[in-house]
Amino acid sequence: MTERKPPGVPFESWVDKQIRDAEQRGEFAQLPGVGQPLPEITDTSYDELWWIKRKMAREGLSVLPPTLALRKEAEDALAAAYEAPSERIVRKIITEVNVKLRDMMFKPPPGPPLGMKPYDVEAVVREWRERQERRRERGATGGATAGQSEA
């Protein structure tokens, strides 16, 4: 649309005519989502980046600040260490995540503080051994009953 609004014509009338003419020419008929309801907008506050957030959610993407991403990675690593099949793997998992935690502590990026310190490898290994022993005991007594969970 390159034509300008003629003088003396109310702006609303001129815009309405432009839309009506484009509709008659079929310019809206091939747009994606034609004939479908608009997606529900649950957030009523104004957010300039709403469309970026919606696109990221649709694509299954998320972006966390580096410290929060590392906090999640460290928690996942600790859980994985407790489920590891051998002490050697427990030590490997915790040692690797500790390197990242130390790096983040000494070279903090922008964003919220990490609020974590490296794990005590020996303490994690002790906890892992205790959990292994409890599993063996449950296995020798026929396993856990329904409703029991591991601490």
Side-chain angles (χ1 to χ4, degrees):
M1 174 191 327
T2 58
E3 66 182 274
R4 298 179 58 92
K5 178 183 90 55
V9 176
F11 188 75
E12 186 175 350
S13 298
W14 181 75
V15 170
D16 289 338
K17 181 181 180 319
Q18 297 298 313
I19 293 171
R20 209 173 25 259
D21 290 348
E23 223 171 16
Q24 290 171 352
R25 290 188 304 267
E27 293 181 14
F28 300 131
Q30 300 302 319
L31 293 176
V34 70
Q36 297 175 359
L38 292 173
E40 182 179 335
I41 298 175
T42 57
D43 184 13
T44 56
S45 63
Y46 180 72
D47 183 4
E48 291 177 351
L49 302 176
W50 66 268
W51 62 276
I52 294 173
K53 292 175 183 174
R54 187 173 295 161
K55 172 76 172 167
M56 290 178 68
R58 195 170 49 244
E59 299 293 328
L61 302 172
S62 67
V63 178
L64 289 175
T67 52
L68 295 181
L70 182 55
R71 178 182 287 267
K72 171 80 171 100
E73 182 180 346
E75 291 168 357
D76 292 346
L78 185 59
Y82 287 144
E83 297 299 319
S86 72
E87 185 176 319
R88 182 185 62 78
I89 294 175
V90 172
R91 290 179 184 280
K92 180 180 183 297
I93 292 169
I94 296 302
T95 300
E96 286 175 359
V97 78
N98 278 348
V99 168
K100 293 177 183 180
L101 289 170
R102 283 188 187 98
D103 285 347
M104 188 77 68
M105 287 171 59
F106 296 124
K107 296 178 261 176
L114 178 60
M116 290 184 83
K117 60 182 183 178
Y119 293 114
D120 179 344
V121 176
E122 296 306 318
V124 173
V125 169
R126 272 193 307 278
E127 175 68 21
W128 175 82
R129 286 179 186 150
E130 291 170 8
R131 289 176 181 225
Q132 293 297 312
E133 185 60 35
R134 287 195 298 267
R135 286 184 186 129
R136 278 193 289 278
E137 288 172 2
R138 279 199 311 267
T141 61
T145 60
Q148 281 184 324
S149 64
E150 188 171 311

